């Protein structure tokens, strides 16, 4: 018997009918924050691992438990940005 495949916890799709609610909330938040002088930024999802190690420390739980790191084809250590 094959196991049922389920979405990872916190990784559910947001489908039509639900996405409009999220967009409404995001629009209201954007208007509020912009009216108080804040502006949106978007940061890369991949960074060199050394950037995180340098900022949070080699022995932190973030580096050891919360980050997905790998070596790219060029031999560089890359990590997915932790949330």
């Amino acid at each position: 018997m094959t196991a049922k495949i389920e979405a990872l916890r916190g990784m559910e799709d947001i489908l039509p009918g639900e996405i409009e609610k999220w967009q409404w909330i995001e629009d209201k938040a954007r208007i509020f924050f912009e009216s108080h002088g804040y502006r949106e930024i978007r940061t890369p999802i991949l960074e060199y691992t050394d950037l995180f190690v340098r900022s949070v420390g080699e022995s932190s739980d973030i580096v050891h438990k919360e980050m997905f790191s790998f070596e790219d084809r060029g031999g560089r250590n890359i990590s997915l940005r932790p949330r």
Side-chain angles (χ1 to χ4, degrees):
M1 182 184 285
T2 59
K4 181 180 175 188
I5 298 175
E6 297 180 9
L8 295 173
R9 183 174 173 221
M11 297 290 168
E12 296 84 14
D13 294 332
I14 303 173
L15 303 173
E18 179 78 14
I19 192 71
E20 294 82 6
K21 297 171 190 173
W22 284 96
Q23 290 169 334
W24 183 86
I25 292 168
E26 290 168 351
D27 289 341
K28 298 301 177 198
R30 189 174 292 108
I31 291 166
F32 174 81
F33 288 117
E34 286 177 356
S35 72
H36 287 82
Y38 292 94
R39 296 179 58 201
E40 181 178 7
I41 65 166
R42 296 190 183 198
T43 58
I45 194 138
L46 292 173
E47 295 277 6
Y48 289 111
T49 303
D50 289 345
L51 174 72
F52 299 114
V53 171
R54 189 172 39 228
S55 64
V56 298
E58 176 72 42
S59 61
S60 79
D61 279 352
I62 293 172
V63 170
H64 288 283
K65 297 179 182 177
E66 299 178 22
M67 286 179 23
F68 175 75
S69 301
F70 59 94
E71 191 173 290
D72 71 1
R73 291 180 185 155
R76 298 167 293 206
N77 290 318
I78 306 293
S79 293
L80 285 171
R81 173 181 32 142
R83 288 220 170 242

